[in-house]
Amino acid sequence: MNKLLEKKNPAKHIKSFGFLALLLLLPVIFTAVDFTYGITISCFVAIYVIAVSGIDIVFGYCGQISMGHAAFYAVGAYGSALLSSKLNIPIIISMFIAPVIAAILGALLAYPASKLVFHFLSLATIAFGEITYQLILQSPGGITGNAVGLATKKVNLFGFAFNTSFRFYYLALAFVLLLLAAKTNLVSSRVGRAFVAIRENTHAAEGMGVNARKYKVIAFATSAFFTAVAGSMYAHFVGYISPDTFTNKQSVLFITMLLFGGTASKPGPIIGAIAVLLLNEALRSMENMQMLVYGFLLLIVILLLPGGIFGMIKDLFYKYTHRGGKENAKS
């Protein structure tokens, strides 16, 4: 009966279509108000939403701490760039192959690290990130361009080049919608329920027949795939990559976005990516102070907003709706 009422009530679908229409018209609106830089920022938001959503799978839903996801971001960026430039593989295909490689690396890292918990797991992922950074910085034969960096090609699909921010925005939006839909299906499935069980209590989950190591590996591999997709998008959007982008600072940025927006939620990574990226733009003239600001943000979230911005909004909405219900009951 409830399902029938949901089908007859189109309000939810109208909101979804309205929001999608706004996203589709966003570049046009920015162009109309002569704020084309807003389109560029929107492209970066889309890239970060994908990366942070990937980290949310392993951290928010599975409860595994990773501070080295900049490594998978780098694998996606350099992998896609090298596959397309050195082997002449079509860019759109290389943008799929590189994340698959990252997913395999994520699984290989997760298998021995699955027995580690808390700060030990965090240190292992930091070490992996540093190893990846050093390999990029001092690559065999200088294939990555080492400290100089590497020029990348623009995405070209069926002869249509995504060589402007306006065009790339729609490609990025398609990737975001596709991957967020995949994430929603994953966390709502049996696999997602196993993730949550492991996050809440690993021993209890294993006692109920959940193979904790198996699902931790799946979580890491899936998370690495998402982050690598974001990395490949970044590489072909910017047109140039260098090791400076893939330091531990990038991993801290991802975690800050996730915690600030809210973990284990659909809107959390989106809110966090938008909020922190806008703050990052505001602090562009104070580049040396960015890490300090991120540190303060993390402290604020941990102490005052443990559920992030989205968690705060949910709490306020819950209090408001239940207060209204109590007042009606009293009257």
Side-chain angles (χ1 to χ4, degrees):
M1 184 66 180
N2 289 334
K3 289 183 179 180
L4 185 62
L5 290 172
E6 285 179 7
K7 288 181 180 179
K8 289 184 177 180
N9 184 5
K12 186 177 180 181
H13 298 291
I14 292 173
K15 289 180 182 178
S16 299
F17 283 122
F19 184 64
L20 180 59
L22 177 62
L23 291 176
L24 291 172
L25 291 173
L26 198 59
V28 179
I29 295 170
F30 281 138
T31 303
V33 297
D34 197 24
F35 183 55
T36 53
Y37 185 58
I39 305 174
T40 302
I41 294 175
S42 300
C43 292
F44 280 115
V45 167
I47 291 169
Y48 283 133
V49 165
I50 292 172
V52 177
S53 295
I55 298 176
D56 192 32
I57 292 172
V58 73
F59 180 60
Y61 286 93
C62 200
Q64 306 303 297
I65 301 173
S66 175
M67 294 295 294
H69 261 60
F72 301 122
Y73 195 58
V75 171
Y78 277 93
S80 183
L82 292 172
L83 286 169
S84 59
S85 62
K86 302 294 183 182
L87 300 180
N88 293 320
I89 295 175
I91 294 174
I92 202 69
I93 297 177
S94 70
M95 290 176 70
F96 174 76
I97 296 175
V100 169
I101 295 172
I104 294 171
L105 291 174
L108 292 175
L109 171 66
Y111 190 79
S114 61
K115 294 295 182 181
L116 302 175
V117 293
F118 306 123
H119 54 284
F120 297 108
L121 177 59
S122 179
L123 288 172
T125 56
I126 290 172
F128 176 70
E130 186 61 28
I131 290 170
T132 304
Y133 171 74
Q134 291 298 328
L135 286 174
I136 293 171
L137 191 62
Q138 306 174 56
S139 61
I143 190 172
T144 63
N146 296 346
V148 177
L150 193 70
T152 61
K153 299 177 181 178
K154 296 293 185 179
V155 181
N156 190 302
L157 186 61
F158 303 118
F160 184 83
F162 294 89
N163 53 1
T164 65
S165 296
F166 191 100
R167 293 182 176 187
F168 188 87
Y169 171 84
Y170 290 102
L171 178 67
L173 180 61
F175 270 93
V176 168
L177 294 176
L178 180 64
L179 290 173
L180 288 186
K183 177 192 172 186
T184 299
N185 289 331
L186 177 67
V187 299
S188 302
S189 68
R190 178 170 163 270
V191 174
R193 291 192 291 273
F195 289 166
V196 174
I198 293 168
R199 181 193 68 194
E200 296 301 322
N201 191 315
T202 304
H203 296 298
E206 289 180 331
M208 294 297 291
V210 176
N211 187 332
R213 169 171 280 187
K214 170 187 171 182
Y215 286 106
K216 285 180 181 180
V217 170
I218 292 173
F220 260 95
T222 307
S223 178
F225 182 88
F226 272 63
T227 309
V229 169
S232 64
M233 290 172 62
Y234 171 83
H236 296 293
F237 173 57
V238 175
Y240 171 80
I241 49 176
S242 67
D244 293 340
T245 307
F246 308 101
T247 61
N248 186 55
K249 178 181 176 181
Q250 189 69 52
S251 296
V252 173
L253 179 63
F254 289 152
I255 291 293
T256 304
M257 288 178 173
L258 178 59
L259 293 177
F260 200 62
T263 60
S265 65
K266 298 171 188 175
I270 301 172
I271 295 171
I274 294 172
V276 176
L277 187 58
L278 290 178
L279 179 64
N280 198 22
E281 288 296 318
L283 296 173
R284 185 171 290 277
S285 60
M286 304 167 59
E287 186 174 353
N288 295 331
M289 301 290 289
Q290 286 179 353
M291 290 301 290
L292 180 63
V293 173
Y294 295 156
F296 276 119
L297 279 178
L298 287 175
L299 283 175
I300 290 170
V301 169
I302 292 169
L303 296 175
L304 303 177
L305 298 172
I309 295 176
F310 182 66
M312 179 186 69
I313 293 171
K314 282 200 305 182
D315 290 341
L316 290 174
F317 181 76
Y318 179 83
K319 289 178 181 178
Y320 176 77
T321 53
H322 280 66
R323 184 181 65 183
K326 290 179 180 178
E327 289 176 355
N328 291 333
K330 288 180 181 178
S331 62

